[in-house]
Amino acid sequence: MKFRGNRPESAAPAAQSPTPQAAATDVQAERMRVRAIAQERSLQVVDLRDVTPEPAATALVTEAVARRLVTVQLKSDNGAVFAVADPTDTVLHELREAAGVPFAVRLATPSDIHKAIGNTYRALTNIDARVKDFAARDMINRSAARTDSASATDAAPVVQVVQLIITQALRDRASDVHVEPQPERIRVRYRIDGALHDVLDLPESIGPAVVSRIKILADMNIVERRRPQDGQISMDVEGRAVDIRVSTTAVVGGEKVVLRLLDKSRPLYRLEQLGMPAEMAARYSALLRSPYGMVICAGPTGSGKTTTLYGSLGEINSPERNIMTIEDPVEYTFPSINQIQINEQAGITFAGGLKSILRQDPDIILVGEVRDVETARIAVQSALTGHFVLSSLHATDAAAALHRLLDMGIENFLIASSITAVLSQRLVRRVCTYCTEPYQPTKEELVFLDSVGGAKPTSGFVHGAGCNFCAHTGYLERIGVYEMMPVTEPIRDLVLSRASHEEFRKVARYEGMRTMAESAVHLVDTGVTTLAEVLRSVYVIGS
């Protein structure tokens, strides 16, 4: 077994996300305070962005003690060294009792220490012992012809392996976990901030047992290994309520499993926190208060459409409105909103559920996804009969969303009459505020900047140099990039005439629409992200 990478732990985001400039200012102020304390007490300051605790440096204090005292052990050989945030006599006395050996003290900021603790005390640290236990039991089980019995009890090694993988994924803010059979190994990858990272290699022999354990948790058929299956797990991990969507499929070498993690302890974002420019957010908020019509949120899988739709519901939720949703799955529950979970085995589909919603006297309807022509037609007709409808749709941009409905076979006059606006979006990674530094973009990046009419930022280009807190990627967290196309009279005329994609974009831009590429370049100008990230994440053809 082999660890692949070292991702940072991050707590659930605060209700209000600070701007990169504000976050950088807070970090600098914190560092200045630490330097002042160090000078007053004649102590050395350690920068945990570059100094990595030794792997064996967790032997003297437990994670609970480290978090309580806000300290992390840096060295264990040739004298222990601890980084502390508050070197009071009380803290040093407790640390002396916990460590039991003489030690030296260095100062670091509290936020740096908390992040270092997350990096140092990894849930996966003890997974090697669990794998060895599994190998020993597996030999016994093979001889007894009970290869899957290890997945039946909570004490079984494979049960603990799966639990540790999920625990560390949540600590690392992973949105997805991929368990993939490879020649002579099982590769485990986390998708963090939209990018996949190798984190762990498991022995090939444990693969079937890991898959079986996940299937048992998701109430899936563990005997069926050839057909794709879907399931869902609800569990508590370190005091956090988590829903996990499970998908399995047969690949060469075995079964691949993907877990989509939905951390219900994370707060729901409001529109102004998602990354929408203030002017767009105000206009979009006004559109949400229309008495009828349909607003579509378009983008590929993983672009944050559901988060935007939930933020939209939060904007318009009030006691005098009957709001009903139909989703697959219901990712977050609202106490004052009626939410329907798709269950095809019980006959509850998007189209069928939407028909039943219309008999429930709704004011606002959220359709989790328009997947087929029947759902699209009912949603459009609902918008025409006095309801306000919100929905997501897979499309590359705002104009493509209207073409998608036309391609489904929805009559152009119905689309023109019902759609109020189309919002298209992507997610880009933020520059890590802990290691921001100036840099010079490549020639390709500068050509792209020029093609969308961007200019060099007055303060210069910045990127993340890479540090311990961003796992040396230079990025930490993500922000939305949006383009909004209100369906005005000129746009309706284009829908009725089935105009080309380029004609839609030309008229929309003439009316003031800022494309996603232009919005993303604005984030580059303010130091939020980089041109390289925009080129990686934002679809720019025709922008």
Side-chain angles (χ1 to χ4, degrees), residues 214-278:
I214 293 172
K215 285 182 174 180
I216 289 171
L217 290 173
D219 197 23
M220 297 159 69
N221 185 350
I222 66 170
V223 177
E224 179 56 68
R225 300 180 184 272
R226 294 172 296 177
R227 290 186 300 178
Q229 295 188 66
D230 295 304
Q232 190 165 350
I233 304 170
S234 294
M235 63 192 309
D236 285 336
V237 179
E238 296 187 330
R240 296 152 71 179
V242 183
D243 273 355
I244 304 173
R245 279 185 268 169
V246 182
S247 174
T248 66
T249 190
V251 297
V252 175
E255 280 185 286
K256 175 179 176 177
V257 181
V258 176
L259 310 176
R260 168 64 58 89
L261 307 179
L262 305 172
D263 183 0
K264 293 196 170 186
S265 68
R266 294 174 70 98
L268 296 172
Y269 290 101
R270 299 186 63 84
L271 291 178
E272 60 269 18
Q273 298 172 258
L274 297 176
M276 269 189 204

Side-chain angles (χ1 to χ4, degrees), residues 188-201:
V188 179
R189 296 192 289 174
Y190 293 165
R191 186 177 295 280
I192 303 171
D193 292 338
L196 280 169
H197 301 270
D198 284 2
V199 294
L200 183 66
D201 285 344

Side-chain angles (χ1 to χ4, degrees), residues 349-400:
T349 62
F350 273 111
L354 192 48
K355 288 178 181 177
S356 70
I357 285 176
L358 293 174
R359 296 190 289 270
Q360 293 287 317
D361 186 32
D363 297 299
I364 298 168
I365 302 170
L366 185 147
V367 183
E369 184 182 343
V370 173
R371 294 179 178 174
D372 53 65
V373 62
E374 186 180 5
T375 305
R377 188 177 299 280
I378 298 171
V380 165
Q381 290 172 346
S382 301
L384 288 173
T385 55
H387 304 94
F388 184 72
V389 181
L390 284 163
S391 181
S392 70
L393 182 70
H394 285 119
T396 54
D397 58 23

Side-chain angles (χ1 to χ4, degrees), residues 382-433:
S382 301
L384 288 173
T385 55
H387 304 94
F388 184 72
V389 181
L390 284 163
S391 181
S392 70
L393 182 70
H394 285 119
T396 54
D397 58 23
L402 295 178
H403 270 281
R404 179 97 192 276
L405 291 174
L406 289 169
D407 291 341
M408 282 184 174
I410 306 301
E411 290 80 357
N412 53 2
F413 61 88
L414 291 178
I415 297 172
S417 303
S418 62
I419 308 299
T420 306
V422 182
L423 187 73
S424 183
Q425 68 180 88
R426 295 290 189 280
L427 293 174
V428 297
R429 292 180 292 177
R430 291 176 180 264
V431 170
C432 175
T433 55

Side-chain angles (χ1 to χ4, degrees), residues 442 444-446 448 530-540:
T442 65
E444 179 189 14
E445 292 166 6
L446 292 174
F448 161 70
T530 64
L531 285 170
E533 176 63 9
V534 173
L535 281 169
R536 185 190 75 88
S537 302
V538 179
Y539 188 76
V540 298

